[in-house]
Each structure stands twice: as C-alpha cells, then as structure tokens.
C-alpha cells in the first residue's frame, strides 16, 4: 500500500539524547544496544559531568581527569541537569553521590541482588532500579519516549454505540475532523473490524498508507513518529482503518502497542469502538481518557445501552453519554443519562440530509454550522481547554 510496515517498528529521530554514566564496558555495550533499539544516540560519560556535583569536601569524586576538558565540555551539552534521561551504571553510582536531585535518573546493572543497591539508588535520587536483561523492554520504552520528544500524551477519546445504528462511527469521524481543523495533531483509529472502514467515511478508501492488517505481525514497540507517517492522511488527519479484504486478526498486544504509539505522539486520538468488549477492545479501553457512548433517543436503545455500558465500565475510567435525538417516550437527555448511571456529555440532534452528503463524499462534521459540527467544536473547546485534559 505504499508504506513498509516494518519501518513502523523504528522511532523517528528527534527529541533529546539520554546520558549514560558507567565505566563498565559490558554494561555500556548493553545500554548502547538498547539506545539503538529505541532510535536514540546517547551521550556517554565515564564519570560525573562537571555541572553535576561538587569536588572534594562533600565526598563526591571528580570526573575522570583523563577525559580532559574537551570531553567535559561535550558531556556538559547533555549534563546531569540538562539531559532528558540519565542512566547510571551500578558501578558508577558512587561517582554521582551529591549531584543535584532531578527526575529521570535510573540506576542500571546486571547483578542487583546486593541489598546495598537500594541505598545507592536513594543516594543518587534514582526513580527506579533496573536489572538487565529483565528490564530491557521497559528501558527501551523510556529511552524511546525521550527520542520521540514525549511530552503530554494525546487526549484519547473513544466513541461507542449504545445500540446498533446509534451513529457512533459518524460521531467519531466528525470529532476527529473538527479536532484536525482546530490545528490539533489528530489520529482517527477504527477499532471495529466489521464496521466497513473509517477511511470510507472520509472518502479515502483508496488512499496510500497502512491499514490494521499490516500490523498483524508487529512485535514489540511501535514508533510514534513512524506510525503517523505510515498512515493515510485525509482531511488533515491520519486514519488507521481496516481494509476490505479477508478479515485478519490483529493480536491484542499489537493493538495495545499501536494505540500507545498514537498517544505518545500527542494531540488528539479518536477511536471508533465496536459494541462488544473482547480482549483487544479492552486493550484500547484501558488507554482511553474518556469514552462517549452514543444512545439514540428511544427506550429500546436505552435498554440496550445499559448492557453495553456495563461491559465498558469494567475497563474504561470515564464513560459519558451522548444522546442522539429526542426520546419520544418523554425522557429528556438528562433522564437518559441518569438511567444509564453516567454523566451527560451532550445531545446531538438527528441531522437531516447527512447520510446523503456522506454518500456524495462529504465527511461527517465538514459543515461548520451543522448541529454535529457544533457539538464537536463545543466538546473540544471544553476538553482541550481543561488543564486536566478532560473536563469534569
């Protein structure tokens, strides 16, 4: 489809460079290998960078004078206080005692059964003690986050239908489109292999880029930058959809890695969810900040939505109700949400003519003055304007 699925396993260049402090050549080889796996080019120092600590009276040994002033200056560009991540070999812990306390310090070694290792970790202010090879996967993730410039993760919102034909895919597509039009980096993920493809709603079923089946054989971490670049770009957003071929099962671990990569890229992630909660869907739900459950305004749909909500709440942290259309049985939106035991996120009136416009190639939410677009714009204004990411 024009992109190589194997390339997604790498990491995009950029971000910061971690600092390695060790005098153990074997440990250094391991750490360099793990940095390479994460796409990072580290700074290496065999002692304490000059700016990190004092010399003499406080008992901290000076940086190795054999390194010379040029090496000290090079290390200073990624010194103790400025490097985004510091990996201190257990052999070098004594050299950094007394250095200023900071986040992002890890004590790394192979033989960490020595009970004194925890004392050394406390002395240098390490966040964690990592033993290789057991912690290799965790360490690669930490390093890759630095390489990819990981800051605030994306606000991840799932959309699920409370009943069949609720309009969840339409709302998910519109939310993603409106977020992209505000300038947010946006990825729309199709979580329903039987839904026909979110790329179709956006008129991009023939667009070049990877689809879910291309990730079926993925193992390990997925690079956030490479993922974004590999997906079709439609209407200023990236879309990960299913194709129209024979159904391919994507393992839950691969789905977890792909969604995690999308979140690390920042901005907004919108996921169109199926109504069933299996192992793969649970992996997605666990990474979402918020799930919007779309409930048509009719009593039968409200009853069905109760069963869907029960399954979603077993995994999701925050579930809210979007009522689509007025309920002819006398229930207002607040009453519908009350019956489902979830907060009301809002009401979306049924939009006359929308199915016809979609059939003609106009994606949901494209008309800025439509009720659907106004709901989405209001939602993002509240959600993205909140200091916590999702308003209460």
């Amino acid at each position: 489809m024009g992109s190589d699925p194997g390339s997604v396993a790498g990491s995009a260049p950029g971000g910061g460079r971690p600092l390695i402090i060790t005098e153990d050549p074997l440990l250094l080889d391991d750490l360099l290998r793990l940095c390479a796996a994460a796409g990072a080019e580290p700074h290496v120092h065999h002692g304490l960078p000059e700016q990190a600590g004092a010399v003499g009276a406080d008992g901290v040994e000076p940086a190795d004078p054999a390194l010379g002033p040029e090496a000290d200056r090079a290390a200073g560009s990624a010194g103790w206080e400025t490097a985004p991540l510091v990996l201190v070999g257990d052999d070098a812990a004594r050299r950094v005692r007394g250095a200023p306390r900071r986040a992002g310090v890890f004590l790394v070694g192979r033989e960490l059964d020595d009970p004194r290792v925890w004392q050394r970790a406390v002395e240098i202010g390490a966040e964690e003690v990592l033993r290789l090879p057991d912690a290799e996967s965790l360490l690669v993730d930490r390093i890759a986050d630095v390489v990819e410039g990981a800051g605030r993760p994306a606000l991840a919102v799932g959309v699920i239908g409370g009943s069949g034909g609720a309009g969840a895919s339409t709302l998910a597509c519109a939310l993603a489109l409106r977020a992209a039009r505000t300038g947010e980096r946006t990825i729309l993920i199709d979580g329903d292999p039987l839904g026909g493809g979110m790329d179709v709603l956006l008129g991009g079923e023939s667009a070049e880029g990877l689809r879910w089946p291309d990730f079926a054989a993925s193992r390990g971490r997925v690079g956030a930058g490479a993922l974004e670049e590999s997906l079709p770009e439609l209407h200023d957003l990236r879309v990960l959809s299913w194709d129209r071929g024979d159904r391919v099962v994507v393992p839950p671990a691969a789905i977890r890695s792909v969604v995690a990569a999308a979140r690390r890229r920042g901005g907004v992630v919108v996921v169109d969810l199926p109504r069933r909660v299996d192992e793969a869907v649970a992996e997605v739900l666990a990474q979402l900040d918020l799930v919007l459950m779309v409930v048509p305004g009719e009593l039968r749909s409200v009853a069905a939505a109760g069963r869907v909500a029960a399954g979603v709440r077993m995994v999701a942290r925050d579930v809210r109700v979007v009522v689509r259309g007025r309920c002819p049985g006398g229930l207002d939106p607040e009453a519908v949400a009350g019956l489902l035991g979830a907060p009301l996120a809002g009401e979306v009136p049924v939009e006359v003519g929308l199915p016809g416009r979609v059939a003609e190639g106009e994606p949901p939410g494209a008309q800025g003055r439509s009720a659907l677009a106004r709901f989405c714009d209001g939602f993002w204004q509240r959600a993205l304007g909140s200091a916590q990411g999702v308003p209460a």
Side-chain angles (χ1 to χ4, degrees):
M1 272 183 231
S3 298
D4 178 12
S7 66
V8 182
S11 297
R17 295 176 63 181
L19 173 64
I20 296 174
I21 303 176
T22 183
E23 298 174 0
D24 182 342
L26 296 179
L27 179 59
L28 177 59
D29 285 345
D30 282 340
L31 294 177
L32 290 175
R33 172 175 55 82
L34 297 178
C35 284
E41 182 182 352
H43 292 284
V44 179
H45 205 282
H46 296 283
L48 181 65
E50 283 185 334
Q51 70 187 80
V55 177
D58 60 2
V60 180
E61 296 187 30
D64 188 347
L67 291 174
E70 292 185 3
D72 280 339
R73 284 195 297 272
S77 65
W80 179 270
E81 295 184 18
T82 58
L85 185 73
V86 180
L87 307 176
V88 180
D90 186 44
D91 64 290
R94 60 187 176 84
R95 312 261 335 238
V96 297
R97 288 199 304 266
R101 295 299 169 116
R102 52 151 295 165
V105 176
F106 296 88
L107 184 63
V108 187
R110 288 191 199 81
E111 300 297 333
L112 300 181
D113 294 332
D114 181 355
R116 290 175 297 177
V117 71
W118 303 104
Q119 178 182 345
R120 293 193 289 272
V122 171
E123 289 174 348
I124 68 173
E127 289 185 12
E128 293 185 52
V129 176
L130 303 177
R131 185 180 69 177
L132 302 182
D134 297 351
E136 285 192 356
S137 178
L138 171 62
L139 192 48
V140 168
D141 283 349
R142 295 290 186 137
I143 297 169
D145 284 342
V146 170
V147 175
E148 294 170 353
R152 184 175 179 177
L155 175 59
V157 178
V159 184
I160 190 169
S163 64
S169 296
T170 298
L171 179 58
C173 185
L175 281 168
L177 183 67
R178 302 309 299 180
R181 291 193 175 181
T182 67
E184 290 289 336
R185 173 187 278 128
T186 305
I187 296 180
L188 173 61
I189 297 177
D190 186 352
D192 187 358
L194 302 180
M198 291 296 288
D199 52 355
V200 176
L201 270 178
L202 290 163
E205 57 268 29
S206 61
E208 291 290 323
L210 301 186
R211 266 68 172 181
W212 268 119
D214 296 306
F215 295 91
S218 294
R219 297 291 183 272
R221 184 188 179 88
V222 175
L227 171 68
E228 183 181 38
E229 293 171 5
S230 74
L231 300 179
E233 184 174 7
L234 305 169
H235 301 279
D236 300 319
L237 59 94
R238 298 284 180 166
V239 183
L240 176 54
S241 182
W242 294 89
D243 60 12
R244 264 59 61 190
D246 293 338
R247 183 181 176 188
V248 175
V249 176
V250 180
I255 290 176
R256 178 178 64 246
S257 296
V258 169
V259 176
R263 290 207 67 196
R264 288 197 306 273
R265 197 61 175 161
V268 165
V269 173
V270 180
V271 185
D272 180 40
L273 297 163
R275 292 174 59 216
R276 68 188 181 283
V277 180
D278 56 18
E279 184 180 358
V281 174
E283 291 286 3
V284 178
L285 288 171
Q287 298 191 60
L288 299 179
D289 297 299
L290 170 66
V291 176
L292 297 176
M293 185 168 59
V294 185
V295 183
E298 57 184 25
L299 290 175
R300 190 163 177 261
S301 296
V302 174
R307 293 189 293 271
V308 175
V312 172
R313 284 198 189 96
M314 293 178 66
V315 185
R317 295 189 293 269
D318 190 347
V319 181
R320 306 184 194 183
V321 173
V322 175
V323 177
R324 181 170 173 262
R326 284 283 176 172
C327 184
L331 295 176
D332 58 22
E334 289 78 9
V336 171
L339 286 172
L340 295 173
L344 178 67
E347 178 187 1
V348 180
V350 175
E351 194 169 317
V352 178
L354 178 61
R357 294 198 301 272
V358 171
E360 293 174 358
E362 178 185 292
Q367 294 193 0
R369 295 184 179 181
S370 68
L372 182 58
R374 291 198 303 271
F375 171 85
C376 295
D377 290 346
F379 172 82
W380 290 125
Q381 185 176 10
R382 296 189 303 272
L384 297 173
S386 169
Q388 301 301 320
V390 180

